[in-house]
């Protein structure tokens, strides 16, 4: 397996996040990617390379120009408010909720920070743009390598991406790597691509980006949003709109879900993927379904991740894996690489 590694991921290092009303150390931290990289090296699972940079217009195929412009300059604007902000992360405090306008971009930086965000738990830091952009490079390179003949690739990067929408960040995510990978495959000549999201949390950003399209099938297994983040999207009755009707499949699962029920849902997802007959698959690879994860209430064990990789391999599709969530750092490398090894050794 060819891995594209974001060597600049640690430039995004949040000091803290707001969690259940308190400032706590960030769950999404550089040690996550470091753990996966170390385990890849220990097992010798293919080559690890750095990505080539992709032009901004590639990001504009998924994200709006004004959102990208905001992200690129946000830290400098934060410093312009007060030089002392160099020692603080930027968090939003206001949002354009129902009855308020989001079409007019405010001049005030704090108002724009809220306009382009969905929560108060995603710190924007000095290196956020650099880390996120290089991560997007990894995802697009991973997709392109499939077009060059690779059977499987892995974008090892952080911050993750599947909560980021076309014009907003949140859930630790700034640029939607899985969506960028899928869009690149289409722009490079494929007609149908599928995205399978197996993170504990629903990939609301990915769903919203492709919700009215039939050239990308989005299938997600995740915790029931009535009780888990992102709360406001991910229900089973969200099946797409317009041309995309029937091309969005959500499989929400109850708290406490174990391997038997989870793999039953995976089988449903795989059958739907086979019916769609995509030419390539992008997997949002989150392993926060692990029993020891601090943000999860599922109970998968490390050995289960080998089975996941094996099942996905039997779909017989060129597959790009994109690293998403997983916050039990001690076991994280083993769990992620188990999926990749299971995939590689199945066929």
């Amino acid at each position: 397996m060819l891995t594209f590694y974001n060597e600049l991921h640690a430039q995004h290092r949040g000091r803290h996040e707001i969690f259940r009303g308190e400032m706590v150390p960030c769950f999404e931290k550089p040690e996550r990617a470091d753990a996966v990289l170390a385990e890849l090296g220990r097992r010798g699972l293919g080559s690890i390379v750095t990505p080539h940079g992709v032009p901004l217009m590639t990001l504009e195929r998924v994200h709006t120009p004004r959102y990208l412009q905001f992200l690129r300059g946000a830290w400098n604007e934060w410093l312009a408010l007060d030089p002392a902000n160099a020692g603080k992360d930027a968090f939003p405090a206001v949002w354009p909720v129902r009855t308020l306008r989001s079409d007019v971009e405010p001049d005030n930086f704090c108002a724009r920070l809220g306009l382009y965000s969905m929560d108060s738990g995603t710190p924007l830091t000095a290196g956020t743009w650099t880390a996120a952009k290089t991560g997007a490079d990894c995802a697009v390179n991973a997709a392109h390598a499939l077009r060059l003949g690779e059977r499987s690739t892995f974008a090892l990067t952080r911050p993750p991406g599947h909560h980021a929408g076309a014009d907003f960040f949140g859930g630790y995510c700034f640029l939607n790597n899985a969506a960028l990978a899928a869009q690149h495959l289409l722009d490079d000549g494929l007609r149908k691509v599928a995205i399978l999201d197996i993170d504990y949390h629903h990939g609301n950003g990915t769903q919203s980006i492709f919700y009215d399209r039939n050239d990308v099938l989005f299938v997600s297994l995740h915790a029931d949003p009535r009780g888990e983040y992102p709360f406001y999207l991910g229900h089973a009755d969200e099946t797409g709109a317009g041309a995309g009707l029937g091309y969005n499949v959500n499989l929400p699962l109850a708290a406490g879900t174990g391997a038997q029920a989870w793999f039953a849902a995976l089988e449903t997802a795989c059958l739907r993927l086979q019916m769609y007959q995509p030419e390539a698959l992008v997997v949002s690879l989150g392993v926060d379904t692990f029993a020891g994860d601090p943000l999860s209430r599922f109970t998968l064990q490390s050995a289960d991740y080998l089975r996941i990789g094996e099942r996905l391999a039997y779909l017989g599709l060129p597959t790009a894996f994109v690293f998403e969530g997983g916050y039990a750092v001690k076991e994280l490398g083993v769990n992620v690489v188990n999926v990749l090894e299971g995939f590689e050794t199945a066929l």
Side-chain angles (χ1 to χ4, degrees):
M1 182 171 293
L2 180 60
T3 293
F4 291 89
Y5 172 57
N6 180 358
E7 292 183 335
L8 303 179
H9 74 85
Q11 292 200 25
H12 174 73
R13 183 187 292 269
R15 293 172 174 84
H16 52 257
E17 64 178 86
I18 301 171
F19 181 68
R20 295 174 182 168
E22 293 185 308
M23 287 291 191
V24 301
C26 290
F27 291 101
E28 203 295 294
K29 52 192 176 183
E31 289 80 2
R32 299 176 59 247
D34 295 343
V36 178
L37 182 66
E39 185 65 16
L40 281 171
R42 190 184 72 80
R43 298 196 206 180
L45 194 69
S47 301
I48 300 172
V49 299
T50 54
H52 298 291
V54 302
L56 195 63
M57 67 176 61
T58 299
L59 306 188
E60 291 176 352
R61 297 290 292 143
V62 166
H63 296 285
T64 65
R66 78 171 191 174
Y67 172 62
L68 294 172
Q69 182 178 3
F70 170 78
L71 270 188
R72 292 173 71 192
W75 186 254
N76 287 337
E77 291 193 67
W78 177 237
L79 295 183
L81 293 178
D82 184 347
N85 283 346
K88 308 172 186 176
D89 295 338
F91 288 94
V94 293
W95 293 269
V97 297
R98 291 170 298 282
T99 77
L100 302 182
R101 294 183 64 176
S102 60
D103 59 315
V104 178
E105 186 180 54
D107 294 331
N108 182 281
F109 170 77
C110 294
R112 280 186 290 120
L113 187 62
L115 177 67
Y116 294 120
S117 71
M118 65 175 282
D119 63 36
S120 61
T122 305
L124 193 149
T125 78
T128 294
W129 170 255
T130 297
K133 169 57 169 64
T134 309
D137 296 341
C138 287
V140 173
N141 277 248
H144 192 67
L146 298 183
R147 300 291 288 146
L148 297 178
E150 294 288 336
R151 174 174 168 265
S152 60
T153 57
F154 177 40
L156 174 52
T157 184
R158 53 164 296 281
H162 71 151
H163 293 305
D167 61 355
F168 62 84
F169 66 88
Y172 310 145
C173 305
F174 296 90
L175 297 176
N176 196 309
N177 300 316
L180 288 163
Q183 185 61 55
H184 179 78
L185 289 167
L186 294 169
D187 292 342
D188 203 42
L190 297 190
R191 294 176 297 106
K192 294 197 301 183
V193 176
I195 300 175
L196 174 64
D197 192 323
I198 59 173
D199 192 277
Y200 178 75
H201 304 93
H202 177 255
N204 60 284
T206 313
Q207 171 173 309
S208 66
I209 288 166
F210 296 112
Y211 200 64
D212 60 355
R213 292 170 52 173
N214 61 11
D215 54 353
V216 176
L217 171 69
F218 177 65
V219 184
S220 178
L221 290 71
H222 53 269
D224 191 327
R226 290 176 298 178
E228 294 287 356
Y229 190 93
F231 302 114
Y232 310 112
L233 212 62
H235 300 283
D237 64 352
E238 297 159 11
T239 58
L245 186 62
Y247 295 92
N248 193 89
V249 181
N250 285 327
L251 301 168
L253 299 166
T257 290
Q260 182 175 357
W262 195 92
F263 277 97
L266 179 63
E267 195 60 32
T268 298
C270 288
L271 290 173
R272 185 65 183 86
L273 290 169
Q274 289 172 318
M275 290 171 59
Y276 183 63
Q277 296 184 327
E279 297 164 277
L281 175 66
V282 177
V283 178
S284 275
L285 178 54
V287 295
D288 41 1
T289 48
F290 178 59
D293 197 281
L295 300 181
S296 165
R297 291 192 289 171
F298 288 174
T299 61
L300 297 192
Q301 303 297 320
S302 292
D304 292 323
Y305 295 102
L306 285 166
R307 291 177 57 197
I308 293 171
E310 290 170 357
R311 181 61 185 94
L312 298 183
Y314 288 124
L315 292 171
L317 296 169
T319 301
F321 293 89
V322 178
F323 185 40
E324 300 283 6
Y327 307 97
V329 175
K330 181 180 178 182
E331 299 87 359
L332 182 60
V334 169
N335 293 342
V336 170
V337 180
N338 275 359
V339 175
L340 305 179
E341 186 169 3
F343 185 95
E344 286 291 279
T345 58
L347 298 177

